[in-house]
Amino acid sequence: MEKPIEGEKKVFMTGNEVVAWAALAAGAEIMYGYPITPQNEIMHYWTRLAPKYGRMFLQTEDELSAGFTTIGGVMGGRRAFTATAGPGNVLMQEPMAMAEMMRLPVVVIIMQRGGPSTGTVIYSQQEVTLTTLGGNGEGFRIVYSTASNQELFDYVIKAFNTAWKYRFPTFVLGDGYQAKMREPLVIYDPEVRGISPVPAEPFLGKPGVPGVDRPPGHYRNTYNTEEELYEVIMGLARAYEAIIPEVVEFEEEAVEGAQLLVMSHGVVSRAAKSAVRALRRDGYPVGYFRPITLRPLPVEVMRRRAKEVRQILVAESAYGQFARLVKEALYGLQVEIVPLFRPGLGINPEDIYSRVQELIKGGEKGAGHIAATHA
Amino acid sequence: MQGILQPPMPKSWRKETKPHKFCPGCGHGIALKALGQAIDELGLQGIAVFGCDIGCSLLAWDFFDLDTVQTHHGRTIPVMVGLKRARPELICIAYMGDGGGYAIGAQHLVNAATRNEKITAILINNTQYGMTGGQMAPTTLPGQKTETTPYGRDPELTGYPTQGPEMVAAITDERAYVARGTVARPGQLREFFKRALQNQIDGRGFSFVEVISACPTNWRTNAKETWEWVEKLMPTYFRVGELKVPEALRGKGVEAKDEETP
């Protein structure tokens, strides 16, 4: 069967379309999904493309089912994924808790919409807490926050390999702007970039007769005693901590000599980068830092950068969900954290430019929070 | 001695995990024996995957020499659906209680049946939530005392027992197999399971078997009273028999038998 993408190709696509192509290119074999805006077109493109390449689709009765059928597909040894948003992401957390407990390599694409509740169908960065730390667990999962359609392509491909290599549920956290925005990008066959698929292996339905040729695979998420559970969770914690140095990703610019650092993630980081470039051009000592992995966060480099500046401006389209992660990462440091919170609203370069200008010109103090109470 | 003083365990049972973890007098053991026999007779040990729910059914997570996954409450059907879609050559069995199938996971049962998902769902009906200590279930009998109906279930307030197989029969097409068996007739139950599995082996459609079962622990019944519930009282609300049999499964020597009725 022909490859979905031969070599490299310049295209002009919406983020949702990009995700479908990326999943095809990554060798995803089956998608399970339930309609919710703004991720619907991922399914629309997938259902049109998948049969041409021998891939499958199931429309489920809700996101609980979408998540649990994805688990079934993954346990059968298939590269399986789902996509959701907003209230669907809330329901998705139940199956993701099971995936976290059992280290199942599910891949979930999230296109954030406004919240809480039904919110808007359009845009926000308000699913950060849910996606990084949702469920009744400890957040043993990997979350990539993308900023452009090119990154959506790159990180959806990467997500499948990350999930199957490290065996933690893996999320690509986009948003409604990325989902619906049309942008130029290059799509490619991963092989031409030296990216080989990490092989998927079955948990259930392995070769041989269980109990005769091999022991049966018995998988559970329920334990009898506190001690039994504790051992399991600590095993997960050790495994998760061990992979952090390999998994974390970030982007930074103009951090040399910066007195103020603009910290943001996802699509807002594009506004932040533009603002920082303009501020630098105009002589302000400002740097740009953006974690690409929100779980795990690149804590080490964030702390190093935080020590070099007086202030950090945290810009996000939520009321402090990303800032809470930043504060935890920087706990104990004497750096002022200044919020620029616009829940459910886009952030433009001008918003960041003018806020930074105020902070530096005014030498403003007291409007922000100190990361910690002791140095 | 085995085979002389006691009948042998099904080959597909995992001996290392026996005796099983269910309460004395529980119906799960009988149902799982009938299922084990059906798996043996159809030669499915190498391709059958067992999914079990939350509630007492989770205690079966290491019961068989089969690849097994214990899921969340009500979510065994979607896990098995996802697996079957991804690996159609496997025989996927979703095993759950009445709370999992008729309450918290009802949407999955309804939609899997409607879509004619090619899996086999088995639901143990013991008229209440066993693992959580005996609360009212969708199947609780009118007047039955439970922890959440301490004065007896009042149909005016909480309705009548769910007619699960009747519902599944009503929403499926002619490719589905639907039956209600009872632990009081393990031979018949085994044949129902065999047909339910055969329907999946043939790639025909959704199969559903409800099993009338016993919970003396939460019913607070002795042996005699327990069997009266199972054999006499429950069948007055839940009719035992096959509700839907695809044409191809009829007259193939797997007619319902009850030679093992105690």
Side-chain angles (χ1 to χ4, degrees), chain B residues 47-59:
Chain B
I47 55 168
V49 174
F50 184 71
C52 58
D53 215 77
I54 293 298
C56 297
S57 66
L58 80 82
L59 297 173

Side-chain angles (χ1 to χ4, degrees), chain B residues 1-9 33:
Chain B
M1 292 295 276
Q2 204 178 51
I4 299 170
L5 294 181
Q6 61 182 56
M9 289 184 211
K33 182 172 179 183

Side-chain angles (χ1 to χ4, degrees), chain B residues 57-73:
Chain B
S57 66
L58 80 82
L59 297 173
W61 74 276
D62 62 353
F63 195 95
F64 287 107
D65 262 337
L66 301 176
D67 284 350
T68 301
V69 56
Q70 170 259 313
T71 77
H72 282 192
H73 196 23

